[in-house]
Amino acid sequence: SDPAEALDEDEAMRSTYGGGAGFAATDYREGPAVRLQAERPGLIPKLGSDRLIYYVSPQGAKQNAGDAPGDALPSIQAVNNRLQNAYGEDLKGLGRDVEVRVLPGRYRKQQVNWTVYNPKLKIKITGWSATPGDNKPAFIGCMATRDSDPACAIKTWFNFRRKPRAPNNKTNIYLVNMKVTKYHRAVSMDVYVQGKKIDYAVYQAGNIIHRMFFYNIGTLFNKNTQPTAFSKGYPPWSPAIIAWQGVRSSVVRGNRFENCKNRWKRGTSFFHLIYLSNRASRNRVVHNTIKNVYADFHTRDRSDGNVFAHNRIVNSFYYALVTDWNRTSVGEADSCGSIIGDNVWK
């Protein structure tokens, strides 16, 4: 990797974001508009020339074919449903990669429960425009302009739970060039657990998150005080911006994280920029720009050999850069062997 990349990307971000927005306890904004960015060459595997392409637009409709910008579907979820109905969750019979081109615009209160994958195929979900200089598509979870709307409480933008139905663990989901703002949690990828027993032989691998802009993630923008089962009697908090449980050999690179925080102090203590658990090993969190983010990199239960490096960090983190925790009472163990280096604080 290029040690200078983080600095170069931060300078590029500065011109793109106009300096960025400062952290404020009453900041419920959607954040600045952000231009689409070129992908880092060679990071995302090339999709087949015969790939199946779907278009998504805020003006799209469920009955559309989805095969052209003017005939787009209304959501990423609609693409997933179209694929599942045609080929099943295992995409049997498809035989080619999938590219979901998300057109610029504002996508309001949308959530994605992605269910389809095939270990032999690649699925790329990316902001896209035929017009140079257009902005990233913006997914906005909470539409309230004030903090009094309890309906903004617990929402995750992108969920992908792999079911243990195939021996090959490659999932190959790529999230690229989109803006995600005002969600409780941005991304959750994990493996279906039956009962309380975790099958460590089943996991996800080959996923990539790149050129994304995560802004105002957490409960900062919401004053909902109703306790939940998860929060154990306390006001609700978000566990993470990105939660990868049982995800291995995957990459978070060249993204921007800004103004992410839980409102309540107890929740901030348990807020993670990325949460790696259930042997989520050999992942790379590198060359990201992190500004006003009150969270940490967190590992749990034998999540070994991860790399946290070359990140550009401004006014961020709460207790430490990297934390680790486990429950030995249920057989979990410490994580070890991770590499932490060449992160730049400013």
Side-chain angles (χ1 to χ4, degrees):
S1 63
D2 180 3
E5 183 182 353
L7 179 61
D8 293 342
E9 288 185 355
D10 187 60
E11 295 301 321
M13 290 286 186
R14 194 169 299 165
S15 61
T16 301
Y17 290 80
F23 171 79
T26 56
D27 189 353
Y28 312 107
R29 295 171 294 173
E30 299 170 12
V34 187
R35 290 194 296 270
L36 290 163
Q37 298 170 275
E39 296 173 18
R40 180 168 178 80
L43 175 63
I44 297 178
K46 187 176 180 179
L47 274 62
S49 58
D50 64 340
R51 64 190 179 277
L52 179 60
I53 300 175
Y54 283 102
Y55 292 86
V56 173
S57 167
Q59 291 76 44
K62 290 182 179 180
Q63 68 270 20
N64 288 349
D67 58 357
D71 199 21
L73 293 168
S75 64
I76 298 171
Q77 187 65 51
V79 175
N80 177 89
N81 297 346
R82 185 73 58 87
L83 287 167
Q84 182 169 325
N85 290 338
Y87 303 101
E89 288 188 355
D90 59 359
L91 299 178
K92 186 176 182 180
L94 176 58
R96 50 181 173 154
D97 298 332
V98 176
E99 181 177 356
V100 182
R101 294 180 174 179
V102 185
L103 300 173
R106 298 168 80 241
Y107 296 81
R108 305 177 181 186
K109 291 189 173 182
Q110 291 197 9
Q111 292 178 268
V112 184
N113 289 302
W114 195 262
T115 59
V116 298
Y117 82 97
N118 185 295
K120 296 181 180 179
L121 306 179
K122 298 180 286 290
I123 298 174
K124 181 180 181 181
I125 304 171
T126 181
W128 183 92
S129 176
T131 304
D134 267 353
N135 291 328
K136 298 178 190 286
F139 290 87
I140 306 153
C142 174
M143 296 306 301
T145 56
R146 302 194 311 164
D147 60 5
S148 57
D149 184 359
C152 295
I154 298 178
K155 292 182 178 179
T156 299
W157 170 62
F158 188 93
N159 285 287
F160 173 46
R161 172 163 289 178
R162 187 206 152 179
K163 294 183 179 179
R165 54 174 169 75
N168 192 313
N169 293 298
K170 279 281 190 177
T171 43
N172 303 324
I173 303 292
Y174 312 144
L175 303 178
V176 186
N177 247 325
M178 292 173 281
K179 172 184 168 182
V180 180
T181 181
K182 298 182 74 171
Y183 281 85
H184 184 83
R185 177 169 50 186
V187 177
S188 177
M189 294 179 168
D190 60 20
V191 175
Y192 177 79
V193 177
Q194 190 169 6
K196 294 184 178 181
K197 186 176 181 180
I198 299 173
D199 184 356
Y200 292 111
V202 178
Y203 53 89
Q204 295 193 33
N207 299 328
I208 300 174
I209 297 176
H210 181 52
R211 297 300 194 216
M212 298 287 289
F213 179 35
F214 300 106
Y215 184 91
N216 227 340
I217 305 297
T219 59
L220 169 66
F221 57 83
N222 179 269
K223 275 189 176 177
N224 179 24
T225 60
Q226 288 300 114
T228 66
F230 174 79
S231 64
K232 298 179 180 179
Y234 291 89
W237 70 78
S238 168
I241 303 171
I242 299 172
W244 277 0
Q245 301 182 64
V247 176
R248 305 179 190 176
S249 302
S250 296
V251 181
V252 178
R253 179 170 186 154
N255 304 283
R256 175 86 172 193
F257 300 83
E258 187 170 335
N259 257 41
C260 300
K261 184 179 184 290
N262 279 335
R263 173 177 296 278
W264 310 101
K265 183 176 180 181
R266 179 180 174 86
T268 297
S269 303
F270 298 105
F271 191 42
H272 313 298
L273 187 147
I274 186 165
Y275 177 78
L276 301 171
S277 66
N278 300 353
R279 302 190 185 181
S281 302
R282 300 183 301 280
N283 299 294
R284 291 186 292 135
V285 183
V286 295
H287 297 291
N288 300 287
T289 299
I290 303 164
K291 183 176 181 180
N292 300 328
V293 174
Y294 288 70
D296 55 29
F297 303 138
H298 186 72
T299 58
R300 175 178 174 178
D301 188 21
R302 297 183 178 91
S303 294
D304 301 334
N306 295 294
V307 177
F308 308 101
H310 303 301
N311 296 291
R312 184 79 167 175
I313 302 167
V314 181
N315 189 31
S316 296
F317 295 91
Y318 190 69
Y319 286 132
L321 179 65
V322 180
T323 58
D324 180 69
W325 185 78
N326 64 76
R327 293 179 63 193
T328 55
S329 61
V330 296
E332 296 181 358
D334 293 337
S335 303
C336 63
S338 289
I339 298 173
I340 307 165
D342 293 319
N343 296 290
V344 179
W345 274 264
K346 182 178 177 182

